[in-house]
Each structure stands twice: as structure tokens, then as C-alpha cells.
Amino acid sequence: MNKQDSIVITGAGIVSVFGSELQEFWSRLLEGKRPLPDPDYPSGVMVTNWDAEALLGRRGLQYLPRSARFLAGASLLAMDAAKLERVSQEPETLGVVVSANLTGLKIMSEYDYTAISEGPRYVSPMQAPNTLANAGSSHLGTRIKAQALNTTISTGQCAGLDAIGYAARMLNASRALRLVVGGVEELNDRVLSCYKHMGVWSEDSTEWAGRPFLLDSTGWLPGEGAASVILERASSAREREVQPLAKVLSWASTTPLGREERDSGGTLRRAIKQAVQKAGLGPEVIELVISGASGFSRQDRAEASALAQYFSSSESVPICSPKGIMGETYGAGGHFQLITALGALKTGYLPATIPSDLDNQLFSGLNITRDCTAWKYNKGTILLISQDYYGCSSAVVIQNF
């Protein structure tokens, strides 16, 4: 990263299970109460309390899948916060980077089923583009007239952090002046079927699902939503007289050398070490870890092990995971971790990862937040981490601006 002209975050927006207001989202996280389950999907948490038409307008809305609506809504709110026009007047300077994994799965399966069972004449040509993994980013790029670049990253639970790191690289390579960087996922029966076959979700044990770092957790609590941020150089923000929220110092991504390294946390530890070194820092300056732990024991155990191995005085570094409250949003998870970090910098408080009355943590030596906790920081250096189901791991380091 170019230290002379930092990559900064100048705006953020969300469409979440707690609504689309950032302050409300942070407040609900600090309360530590999960949203009520949706009657149609009682085993997960869904976005129900936002008005897409009020934000996006009615025109063409019927052709946008839910995930594309989430992404567009969060991105427009991020652009508003960054004091950018919703339709770019300089399209060649604005780009889009999106993390998403399963957003087109349901439409694709229904499209194929209709084509096979009834014939190609019976499929809607308006739905064809929505079967693609990059449908959301394409819809967004068209809406805001972003022509510098348009990339969709699908690397599982690492996709969000990878999108942030990729976007920073594109800015350093002068591929764009500003980037809308979003993450999105939607919840439906096809997605739940995938989670069930992966073995990370059980429809019969919702109460104990999604409990990070707890032995009794039964796997993921499926969630959905979108979060977006605006990345640009600090010099660009100064020219526009916009105060950055934070700066992105570094990003690293690693792949497992084998199952043993994956399960022992070695792959994630390498990603953490590389990210911190790229930022020109050491473990002693990390003041907070926003974890990707989501209640699947194999992943959480590896993550806890990686943190315990990397930090020599691990008990002093607070660790929190928002997924224990809002669920596993998969492709959007890294972005919601970033939004949680921005909230910690703004409010000076950390959300609880697990209820304080539970004491069966996987690793008792780690300083995992048990209640809403006051957080006093020096430079506000935060490590964001994630390990995918298959072992790939990513880490991003940010710092208060």
C-alpha cells in the first residue's frame, strides 16, 4: 500500500437484518440481541424492515432480484455518506468491486428447471442476466454509471475481505479514482440446501446455531444483507473536503497447504502474519480483532488457535465477532466485519460475541467479548480475519484516520 497517499474509507452503507441505518445497526449489535426469525425461514435471519422502492425507485425494480436490491441500496447509501453523486458524472473514474457467492443460485436453478421441463420458450429473457454470479455488480455499475472496472469476487467467507484488498490494489494501480466496494448475500431455500449439504447448518437446532467459539454451537446461523464502502485515496478525499472514516493499511490471503494446516489454524496464522507485516507493524500494535467466527466448531477452533499462536499476550487483545448476533452472511460477512470495526472506532464500544452466562468457550485464554465493552484505543489499529469452509484465509488491517 502507498503510505504517502493512504487508501481511505469515506462512506459506508448497509441493508441488514437491523435495517439500513448505520447508527441503528451499531446500537443493535451493542444490545447483543438477535433479530426475530422470519416465519418463512425460522432457521435463519432475514432482511424484512427496509423499503427498496423508497430508496431505489419503482422503475425496473421488478426485474431486480433481492440481492441486487440489497447491494444497490447499501451502495447508494455509502455514496451519499461519501458525498458522491448517485449517478457519476465521470464514469471512467468510478469502479465497482463486489463479493458474492450464492446470489444467483435460486434464479439459476428455477431458470434451468423451466427450460428443461417446459422448454426454452417459457423462460423469461429478463431473468437470464440474473442467473449470473455478477448480476448484482452489473446492475449496480449500470445504475451509477461506473465504467472504470467491475469485478465480482467469490471466495466463500473470505470474499468480503478479498474484495476490500483487491479494491485497494486497483486504486494503487490507478485503475480507478474511487471504488464502490460491496458485499451481498441473500437467503432462500436453495442456499439453505447448500449450507445443509456442507454440514454447517442444521434446521433442527436453531437456538444453539451461530454461537462463535462455543463448543455447543450447532453450526452457522444463516443470514443475509449487503454492506458497501467507498474507497479512494486520502488526497482525493481532501480535495472533496470529506473526512475519512478509516484507512486500509494492508491485505493478505493464503491457501491451505493441507487439511492439517487448515484445521490447526496455520493457514489463517500465515494470512494474519503477512497482513500485519505488509502494514509495517507487529502483533503488539493490534488493538482489536474483528473475527469471522460464526459457530461452526472446526472453523472456530482453527481461528482461535491461529489467534492464540500469533499473539504472545492474546488475553490483552479484545476479540469480537458480529456473526453471533446477525448470522453468517457469507459473501457479505467481511463487509459487515468492517462495518462493525467502523462502529467500534466511532462509538468506543465493542459488541458481545457470546452471552456472558456461557462459559464453555473453545479457548478460555482469548479475550473474547462477553458483554458490551468500552474500548479505549491508541491509533485504532484493527485486524479483520476470516477463514473459509475449505481453509482459504484472509486478513485486512485498518486504522483510524
Side-chain angles (χ1 to χ4, degrees), residues 23 67 73 89 91 101 136 175 193 205 300 356 392:
Q23 192 59 54
S67 57
Q89 301 302 309
N101 294 304
R175 290 286 304 278
S193 179
S205 51
D300 290 5
S356 57
C392 294

Side-chain angles (χ1 to χ4, degrees), residues 245-292:
L245 304 173
K247 53 186 175 181
V248 179
L249 300 184
S250 63
W251 161 65
S253 182
T254 55
T255 55
L257 301 177
R259 181 176 297 180
E260 181 178 347
E261 190 202 40
R262 177 199 70 181
D263 294 345
S264 68
T267 311
L268 179 57
R269 181 162 42 89
R270 284 194 290 118
I272 294 171
K273 183 178 180 180
Q274 289 177 22
V276 175
Q277 286 180 342
K278 286 180 180 179
L281 306 173
E284 69 281 354
V285 303
I286 301 298
E287 299 173 77
L288 171 64
V289 176
I290 305 294
S291 162

Side-chain angles (χ1 to χ4, degrees), residues 245-246 285-288 318 341-350 373-382 398-401:
L245 304 173
V285 303
I286 301 298
E287 299 173 77
L288 171 64
L342 296 177
L345 292 172
K346 181 177 177 63
T347 67
Y349 284 89
L350 306 179
T373 307
W375 179 54
K376 294 182 179 180
Y377 57 86
N378 181 18
K379 292 186 176 181
T381 307
I382 303 177
I398 70 166
Q399 193 174 74
N400 193 36
F401 188 81

Side-chain angles (χ1 to χ4, degrees), residues 31-357:
E31 285 180 10
K33 296 180 180 179
R34 290 181 173 181
L36 295 174
D38 186 272
D40 293 331
Y41 296 99
S43 300
V45 286
M46 300 188 71
V47 174
T48 58
N49 54 344
W50 85 294
D51 187 352
E53 186 175 319
L55 183 59
L56 305 178
R58 182 177 297 180
R59 184 179 179 183
L61 195 62
Q62 68 269 33
Y63 301 118
L64 285 183
R66 292 177 69 248
S67 57
R69 298 182 189 190
F70 294 163
L71 178 63
S75 298
L76 292 184
L77 291 171
M79 296 176 75
D80 290 348
K83 300 180 181 178
L84 293 174
E85 294 181 341
R86 289 188 174 184
V87 179
S88 177
Q89 301 302 309
E90 299 177 301
E92 69 281 355
T93 68
L94 182 65
V96 172
V97 180
V98 171
S99 59
N101 294 304
L102 302 174
T103 50
L105 182 61
K106 183 172 183 177
I107 293 176
M108 177 175 60
S109 61
E110 291 176 347
Y111 191 91
D112 287 350
Y113 180 81
T114 300
I116 293 171
S117 62
E118 300 181 36
R121 288 187 177 184
Y122 293 90
V123 297
S124 169
M126 299 302 295
Q127 284 287 51
N130 293 329
T131 64
L132 304 176
N134 64 345
S137 62
S138 298
H139 284 300
L140 176 60
T142 301
R143 176 180 287 268
I144 64 176
K145 292 189 177 179
Q147 298 179 6
L149 62 94
N150 194 309
T151 304
T152 296
I153 294 177
S154 302
T155 50
Q157 287 162 285
C158 295
L161 298 187
D162 289 346
I164 295 165
Y166 175 85
R169 282 193 173 186
M170 293 299 99
L171 289 171
N172 278 326
S174 300
R175 290 286 304 278
L177 186 60
R178 299 176 193 91
L179 289 171
V180 180
V181 189
V184 63
E185 212 70 70
E186 72 172 80
L187 196 58
N188 53 59
D189 53 352
R190 304 299 198 281
V191 171
L192 288 176
S193 179
C194 281
Y195 292 165
K196 185 175 182 178
H197 282 84
M198 289 167 66
V200 297
W201 169 73
S202 172
E203 57 187 324
D204 300 322
S205 51
T206 306
E207 182 181 356
W208 285 98
R211 303 288 187 179
F213 299 114
L214 289 187
L215 287 168
D216 293 337
S217 179
T218 56
W220 296 355
L221 175 68
E224 66 175 5
S228 296
V229 294
I230 307 300
L231 293 191
E232 58 186 305
R233 289 196 174 281
S235 58
S236 172
R238 283 194 297 269
E239 289 174 6
R240 300 192 304 109
E241 299 182 346
V242 175
Q243 176 62 34
L245 304 173
K247 53 186 175 181
V248 179
L249 300 184
S250 63
W251 161 65
S253 182
T254 55
T255 55
L257 301 177
R259 181 176 297 180
E260 181 178 347
E261 190 202 40
R262 177 199 70 181
D263 294 345
S264 68
T267 311
L268 179 57
R269 181 162 42 89
R270 284 194 290 118
I272 294 171
K273 183 178 180 180
Q274 289 177 22
V276 175
Q277 286 180 342
K278 286 180 180 179
L281 306 173
E284 69 281 354
V285 303
I286 301 298
E287 299 173 77
L288 171 64
V289 176
I290 305 294
S291 162
S294 56
F296 184 53
S297 292
R298 173 171 62 76
Q299 288 178 290
D300 290 5
R301 189 183 296 275
E303 191 162 311
S305 179
L307 291 170
Q309 293 172 41
Y310 181 73
F311 292 102
S312 57
S313 55
S314 56
E315 291 189 22
S316 64
V317 182
I319 301 165
C320 67
S321 171
K323 296 180 181 181
I325 301 170
M326 61 172 297
E328 174 59 76
T329 54
Y330 210 25
H335 287 78
F336 279 114
Q337 288 174 251
L338 177 57
I339 298 296
T340 302
L342 296 177
L345 292 172
K346 181 177 177 63
T347 67
Y349 284 89
L350 306 179
T353 297
I354 51 179
S356 57
D357 58 342

